[in-house]
Amino acid sequence: MLLTKKAMFTLSVFTLFGFSGIAYLILAFSDEVQYFEMFNYNNLLLSIPLGLGFGAVAAFIGVLLLKLPPLKETNTFYANLFKSLDLHWPDILFYSFCAGVGEEILFRGALQPLLGLWFAAILFVILHGYISTKDWKKSIYGIFLIFISAGFGYLVLYFDIYAAMAAHFIFDVIMFVKLKRDSKAIASESSELD
């Protein structure tokens, strides 16, 4: 299955606005948590740089993990998903922004207070398809992502949702750049074999 830019754009817009709307609906039935309370902040000059730092370190660990020989297949699988997109910087920034904001509003802003930090982190990774009963190598990467997702949750607990949004955004930017580079390498390898 190959993704198209139109499909990625549609998914990104839905993630930004649809997930925010779903979070609003979930919290409309909650007496414990109010939707707009998640947007409170104390010090954005601290939380955003900390989030960016956490996300960058997490992404670099993820990149190193995907270079391990047992995860080469997993890396190739994800690179192949994106090889038809021909990603450019505006695409990467847009997709990463939509995911960083929309997914954090839903998973950390709405679901985490109701379900708990770790359950929200596990649910996040399962819904992204990173845990597989048929592919233990993919699941190794998924377990790593559960800890990263939980890290986003702790950023919300100790700082604010903006720290988690920043972490998620930069994590995705770095991983998209890696996927772009890897998909080009796979394409050039396959053209050399032809």
Side-chain angles (χ1 to χ4, degrees), residues 92-112:
I92 290 169
L93 295 174
F94 179 73
Y95 302 153
S96 300
F97 174 81
C98 291
V101 174
E103 290 180 355
E104 292 310 309
I105 287 172
L106 177 58
F107 286 93
R108 257 51 74 178
L111 295 178
Q112 179 173 306

Side-chain angles (χ1 to χ4, degrees), residues 136-176:
W136 66 269
K137 294 173 185 175
K138 187 187 213 183
S139 295
I140 288 173
Y141 188 66
I143 291 167
F144 162 74
L145 289 176
I146 289 171
F147 286 98
I148 300 308
S149 183
F152 296 165
Y154 283 110
L155 286 171
V156 171
L157 280 181
Y158 292 107
F159 299 99
D160 52 43
I161 198 159
Y162 303 102
M165 288 175 179
H168 193 146
F169 167 78
I170 200 67
F171 182 91
D172 282 8
V173 166
I174 293 167
M175 296 312 285
F176 271 124

Side-chain angles (χ1 to χ4, degrees), residues 62-81:
V63 167
L64 292 174
L65 190 61
L66 287 170
K67 287 184 178 185
L68 295 174
L71 296 184
K72 183 173 173 41
E73 266 180 49
T74 301
N75 185 55
T76 302
F77 171 80
Y78 290 117
N80 280 329
L81 276 178

Side-chain angles (χ1 to χ4, degrees), residues 34-73:
Q34 299 300 310
Y35 180 81
F36 292 102
E37 286 177 5
M38 81 173 78
F39 301 107
N40 293 340
Y41 61 90
N42 288 326
N43 186 352
L44 292 178
L45 293 177
L46 176 65
S47 65
I48 290 176
L50 280 171
L52 291 171
F54 176 83
V57 168
F60 286 119
I61 293 169
V63 167
L64 292 174
L65 190 61
L66 287 170
K67 287 184 178 185
L68 295 174
L71 296 184
K72 183 173 173 41
E73 266 180 49

Side-chain angles (χ1 to χ4, degrees), residues 19-31 33 106 110-111 114:
F19 282 21
S20 299
I22 292 167
Y24 184 82
L25 289 174
I26 289 169
L27 294 179
F29 296 100
S30 170
D31 294 330
V33 184
L106 177 58
L111 295 178
L114 300 176

